[in-house]
Amino acid sequence: MKKIFAITIACVISIHCLYSQSSYWEIGLMGGLSNYVGDINNMFKNGKDDSKEWNQFESSFNMYNAHIVGGLVARYNFNPRWALKTSLLFSKLSGDDKHFKNTRNLNFHTAIQELAVSAEFNFLDYRTGTRQHRFTPYIFGGLALFHFNPKADIIDPFEQESVTVSLHDLNTEGQGLVQGRDNYNLVALAIPFGLGLKFSLSSHTCIGLEWGFRKTFTDYIDDISTTYVDRNELLYYAGEQSVSAADRTNELDGYEGKYHKAGEMRGNRTTKDWYNFLTLSITTKLYSTNTKCLRGKRK
């Protein structure tokens, strides 16, 4: 992520220099809350999942298991109605079946890093630093690239104590074992979209409130997507920890020795995972060196 951070800063500086004679930028900080929406939800009960794509979006409004998000933002204002925004955000996502009393008993947590580019449309004319156009609601949409790596705390089959394992490395749904089921990538695409409010606090400063939804193209942010695989085959292929992480119903009181058969539903492959950011941003204007020209254009 250090490389991504360096590339982002370099792009911002380069583009700023390119447009320094005719435009201005805003740069600043973003912070708020993140939220996960996926196969760990209140729709999944005893091997049945009634959720649909719309339910995934609707569930985004429930800030279940929220975590802190923070990062950098840069905005290039084309005119009072259109802007282009680049953001680099860092957060965490997690989910746990126990919060929904689901006997599947799976859980996960992952750090997430997102680099996004979005176009913003202001419903009202807006300019940071002007009295005439100091407030507007807006909508946005774009494209994002994010990195994740789901992990879980499981009971180690050898030490009989809790350990944190990388679920991607354990092939819990038989990735590489079941024909046509390859392991998933830890870098994926998402479509960010949402709405927000901007308000000009001073001649240089803008404050914004934004709710952004991320529709992803992966179903493995939580390492849950398809069906259970045969325990003996998975044990031979991936080892004891993989078997322990793949099926955890047996850890619950009253379910000792209970395991799922191969082919039983573990997740809903028809829906992709989502995540959301509710953020507050503070940005400041960067004037070009040709301030006389800028003043003449932006009275």
Side-chain angles (χ1 to χ4, degrees), residues 162-183:
S162 179
V163 295
T164 301
V165 295
S166 172
L167 297 171
H168 173 269
D169 299 337
L170 296 181
N171 308 108
T172 55
E173 292 188 349
Q175 293 92 340
L177 172 64
V178 178
Q179 185 176 5
R181 195 176 294 183
D182 298 326
N183 211 350

Side-chain angles (χ1 to χ4, degrees), residues 157 171-174 177-178 227-251 257-264 266:
N171 308 108
T172 55
E173 292 188 349
L177 172 64
V178 178
T227 59
Y228 292 93
V229 296
D230 183 87
R231 286 177 55 80
N232 292 326
E233 292 182 10
L234 187 61
L235 175 64
Y236 179 78
Y237 176 74
E240 291 278 0
Q241 282 192 343
S242 179
V243 172
S244 298
D247 192 347
R248 304 184 61 185
T249 299
N250 65 298
E251 297 177 13
K258 166 68 176 178
Y259 298 101
H260 292 85
K261 297 178 181 179
E264 287 188 327
R266 188 172 187 265

